[in-house]
Amino acid sequence: MALFNRKSTVAPSAPATVAVDPALAALTGEYAIDPAHSSIGFTVRHAMVTNVRGSFGEHEGTLKLDGHNPANSAASIDVKIASVDTGISDRDGHLVSGDFFDAEKFPLMTFRSTQAEQLGGDKYRITGDLTIKDVTRPLAIDLEFNGSATDPYGNERVGFEGSADILRSDWGLTWNAALETGGVMVSDKVKLNFDISAIKAAPQA
């Protein structure tokens, strides 16, 4: 125990300085998500035997990237519920009805970030508040930075893709139907998928 009680005579070292990647620092700025080249989708188990995939065709959002300190980065996304598309119009109609999203009363699903962190390399995690209908709960999204490029029109772009698993019942989406063979028609677990391309805004004059 004397080892832990002994006072150290060595002066504490200065905190290590983390080198900033110049390429990452150059990405610092405000970005607008390009809906024409981005996808926000989901996968859910159907009838216990297969997966149904869908996406939301109408969404908009912004990113604030801080390449000097990724923890200062932020994201804001608004998704139009009525734009849901699973490839089957009757199913889409059921999803926007009161049984599920009730799109007439709650037209938007929103995400507002509260924290960002770099996990290592090109891996990031962004945490925030996801609101569906009238329920807001925290959501953590693991993202991979796919790189940056200047497109033929001179736009500076960045790309991210990621996913998150949620329980839809946490947001009040509880409709279901029992199967004769046991189990339910729609799983509670839903996988959210994000494939984002965003364009850097021109610097303010």
Side-chain angles (χ1 to χ4, degrees), residues 100-150:
F100 284 95
F101 288 107
D102 198 357
E104 185 173 346
K105 186 175 181 181
F106 306 101
L108 293 179
M109 173 172 60
T110 66
F111 177 79
R112 301 289 184 266
S113 68
T114 56
Q115 181 182 1
E117 55 185 317
Q118 186 173 17
L119 302 180
D122 290 333
K123 306 291 186 181
Y124 296 83
R125 177 174 294 143
I126 189 161
T127 303
D129 294 325
L130 176 67
T131 300
I132 302 175
K133 299 176 79 170
D134 57 350
V135 179
T136 299
R137 295 180 62 90
L139 175 69
I141 305 170
D142 287 338
L143 297 167
E144 182 172 359
F145 175 53
N146 287 338
S148 62
T150 301

Side-chain angles (χ1 to χ4, degrees), residues 6-125:
R6 187 182 306 154
K7 293 183 179 179
S8 173
T9 58
V10 180
S13 59
T17 300
V18 178
V20 176
D21 182 347
L24 191 61
L27 301 179
T28 299
E30 304 284 341
Y31 292 77
I33 293 176
D34 177 8
H37 298 95
S38 300
S39 174
I40 297 176
F42 58 89
T43 304
V44 62
R45 201 78 167 164
H46 177 262
M48 310 293 291
V49 298
T50 190
N51 289 319
V52 168
R53 293 174 174 82
S55 62
F56 296 92
E58 296 183 40
H59 50 82
E60 61 182 19
T62 59
L63 304 178
K64 175 188 174 184
L65 302 184
D66 189 333
H68 299 277
N69 183 3
N72 290 332
S73 299
S76 174
I77 302 174
D78 292 340
V79 177
K80 187 175 180 181
I81 293 297
S83 70
V84 66
D85 181 7
T86 64
I88 304 294
S89 59
D90 286 347
R91 182 164 57 207
D92 298 342
H94 192 195
L95 288 174
V96 300
S97 74
D99 282 345
F100 284 95
F101 288 107
D102 198 357
E104 185 173 346
K105 186 175 181 181
F106 306 101
L108 293 179
M109 173 172 60
T110 66
F111 177 79
R112 301 289 184 266
S113 68
T114 56
Q115 181 182 1
E117 55 185 317
Q118 186 173 17
L119 302 180
D122 290 333
K123 306 291 186 181
Y124 296 83
R125 177 174 294 143

Side-chain angles (χ1 to χ4, degrees), residues 156-194:
E156 295 182 59
R157 290 179 178 268
V158 294
F160 293 88
E161 62 179 311
S163 63
D165 291 334
I166 67 171
L167 297 179
R168 60 188 179 91
S169 59
D170 287 343
W171 280 267
L173 302 176
T174 57
W175 183 91
N176 227 321
L179 302 175
E180 291 183 5
T181 53
V184 292
M185 181 70 74
V186 185
S187 67
D188 192 18
K189 181 181 177 180
V190 179
K191 183 174 184 178
L192 304 178
N193 306 294
F194 305 88

